[in-house]
Structures are given as structure tokens and as C-alpha cells.
Amino acid sequence: SVTSSGSIFDENAIETCAGNPGSYMTTEQCGQFGGIGYIVNYNFTSLHSSLLYQATADEALLRHYRNDNDYKISATIWPLPITKVEEQFTMASNSFSAWFLLVLSFPFIGGSFAIFIVTERESKAKHLQTVAGVKPSAYWLSTYFWDIMNYQIPLWTVIILMYLLDIQSFITTEREAASSTFALLVLFGPAAAGFTYIVCFFFKSPSLA
């Protein structure tokens, strides 16, 4: 194509590109891209943004050199289906986040068991119950079963959310993942309560237990 001045368009574009000190391209790249190359910076988490920005830039170039704002470029994107490897990688990433939140939050439940024990011991309420005739076995068993009953609320809430949110790494039947997850969550409460009763004697302040 020939410009209005009679020069060849490609040569004119390359010469303009090479002489532009603000260009992001070298002289070699100006020749490679015909003088109208450009760089699109985009967020890689938005997979379609690079193609959409490219269509916008090409449309602007077309309108500029044709001197007509009616030209439009419509971008059509047909992404390939997610491969099995990508699907497994995504599932593993989501599983790590879910397990991290579980591991981070469930120890607070064990800590809540110790608050009541330390408070009664430091306020001498446990001593008064012993003087009144409450046997130590009755005191500890009643406290133990009460804590296990309270543990059922966060336990079943988490299990229901796993199925509602369809976290396949937790509820899948492959390699008995669902039964293992269920067993670990159910047994965590009784185990944490017994362990908490042992270590709570090292604390004198309920806020630090």
C-alpha cells in the first residue's frame, strides 16, 4: 500500500518506528513487526485480557491508518478444554487452602476447652464442688462430655460445608478420602479435649490457656 505522500506504507512505518526514541522495540523488532508492533501488559490471572487488549490495539491502528472510526474488530475466543493435569493441579491448590484453614482454625476449639477448666480452678469453683461432695471422676467426665457435645456444632458445620461447597478432595471416595476426613474430624474433638485437660495445669490465666 502507498501513503498519501506517495511512499510505501511498510517502509514508512518501519522508518517511523526505528526513529521513535520512546518505542519499546529495537530496530530489528521494528522490521520484524512491520513498524507497528506493540507490547501488551496484562494480569495473567485474567486469561482473556491479552487477546481483548490486542484486538483493541489492532482496531485503534486500523482506524488511525484508514482514517475511519467505523472500522471494528470483533475478537472471538475459543479456549481449549481444561486438561486432566490442570484439573488435578487446581484441585490440589484448593485442597491446600481448605486444609490450611482447617488446621489454623480447629486448634482454637481445643483452646476453648481449657478456658472453663482454668477459670474454675483459679476461682476456686472446682474446689467448692469437691468440698460439696462432687467426685473428681464425675467432674471430669461431665466436663468431657459437655465439651464433646459443644464440639458437634463446628464439626457438623464443617462437614456440611464440605459437601455444599463440593470440595472433592475431602468428599471423594477415591482412596477412602471421605471416610478418612470424616474420621479425623470426629476423633479430633475427644482427643483435643483430653489433651487440653492435661496441659491446662500449666496455665494460671484463662486468657493465656
Side-chain angles (χ1 to χ4, degrees), residues 9 30 54 66 99 113 116 122-123 134 136 145 179 207:
F9 173 78
C30 288
Q54 181 180 357
R66 299 296 295 182
W99 271 119
F113 298 157
F116 178 77
E122 294 302 316
S123 64
V134 177
F145 286 118
S179 58
S207 60

Coordinates of all heavy atoms in Angstrom, one line a residue, residues 9 30 54 66 99 113 116 122-123 134 136 145 179 207:
F9 N 3.9 2.3 2.4 CA 3.4 2.3 3.8 C 4.3 1.5 4.7 O 4.7 2.0 5.8 CB 2.0 1.8 3.9 CG 1.5 1.7 5.3 CD1 1.1 2.8 6.0 CD2 1.5 0.4 6.0 CE1 0.7 2.6 7.4 CE2 1.1 0.3 7.3 CZ 0.6 1.4 8.0
C30 N 11.4 -3.6 14.9 CA 10.6 -2.7 14.0 C 10.4 -3.4 12.6 O 9.3 -3.4 12.0 CB 11.2 -1.3 13.9 SG 11.0 -0.3 15.4
Q54 N -5.3 -6.9 22.6 CA -4.7 -6.9 21.3 C -5.7 -6.5 20.2 O -5.4 -5.8 19.3 CB -4.2 -8.3 21.0 CG -3.5 -8.4 19.6 CD -3.0 -9.8 19.3 OE1 -3.1 -10.7 20.1 NE2 -2.5 -10.0 18.1
R66 N -6.5 4.0 8.4 CA -7.6 4.1 7.4 C -8.3 5.4 7.6 O -9.2 5.7 6.7 CB -8.5 2.9 7.6 CG -7.9 1.5 7.4 CD -7.4 1.3 6.0 NE -8.5 1.4 5.0 CZ -8.4 1.2 3.7 NH1 -7.1 1.0 3.2 NH2 -9.4 1.2 2.9
W99 N -7.4 -27.2 53.7 CA -6.7 -27.8 54.8 C -6.0 -26.8 55.7 O -5.9 -26.9 56.9 CB -5.7 -28.9 54.3 CG -6.3 -30.2 54.1 CD1 -6.4 -30.9 53.0 CD2 -6.9 -31.0 55.1 NE1 -7.0 -32.2 53.2 CE2 -7.3 -32.2 54.5 CE3 -7.1 -30.9 56.5 CZ2 -8.0 -33.3 55.2 CZ3 -7.8 -31.9 57.2 CH2 -8.2 -33.1 56.5
F113 N -11.7 -25.3 75.2 CA -11.9 -26.3 76.3 C -11.2 -25.9 77.6 O -11.7 -26.2 78.7 CB -11.5 -27.7 75.9 CG -12.2 -28.2 74.7 CD1 -11.6 -29.2 73.8 CD2 -13.5 -27.8 74.3 CE1 -12.3 -29.7 72.7 CE2 -14.2 -28.2 73.2 CZ -13.6 -29.2 72.4
F116 N -12.6 -22.9 80.4 CA -13.6 -23.2 81.5 C -12.8 -23.9 82.7 O -13.1 -23.6 83.8 CB -14.7 -24.1 81.0 CG -15.7 -24.5 82.0 CD1 -16.7 -23.7 82.5 CD2 -15.6 -25.8 82.5 CE1 -17.6 -24.1 83.4 CE2 -16.5 -26.2 83.5 CZ -17.5 -25.3 83.9
E122 N -8.9 -21.5 89.1 CA -8.4 -20.3 89.7 C -9.4 -19.5 90.5 O -9.0 -18.8 91.5 CB -7.9 -19.3 88.5 CG -6.7 -19.9 87.8 CD -5.5 -20.2 88.7 OE1 -5.2 -19.4 89.5 OE2 -4.9 -21.3 88.5
S123 N -10.7 -19.7 90.2 CA -11.7 -19.0 91.0 C -12.1 -19.9 92.2 O -13.1 -19.5 92.9 CB -12.9 -18.7 90.2 OG -13.5 -19.9 89.7
V134 N -18.7 -33.5 95.2 CA -18.6 -33.9 93.8 C -17.3 -34.7 93.6 O -16.2 -34.2 93.9 CB -18.6 -32.7 92.8 CG1 -18.5 -33.2 91.4 CG2 -19.9 -31.9 93.0
P136 N -14.1 -36.3 91.8 CA -13.3 -35.9 90.6 C -13.7 -36.6 89.3 O -13.7 -36.0 88.3 CB -11.9 -36.2 91.1 CG -11.9 -36.3 92.6 CD -13.3 -36.8 92.9
F145 N -17.8 -34.7 78.5 CA -18.9 -35.0 77.6 C -19.6 -33.6 77.2 O -20.1 -33.5 76.1 CB -20.0 -35.8 78.3 CG -19.5 -37.3 78.4 CD1 -19.4 -37.9 79.6 CD2 -19.3 -38.0 77.2 CE1 -19.0 -39.2 79.7 CE2 -18.9 -39.4 77.3 CZ -18.8 -40.0 78.5
S179 N -14.0 -41.0 54.0 CA -14.1 -41.6 55.3 C -12.9 -41.2 56.2 O -13.1 -41.1 57.4 CB -14.1 -43.2 55.1 OG -13.0 -43.6 54.4
S207 N -7.1 -16.4 79.9 CA -6.8 -15.8 78.7 C -5.6 -16.3 78.0 O -5.5 -16.2 76.7 CB -6.7 -14.2 78.9 OG -5.6 -14.0 79.7

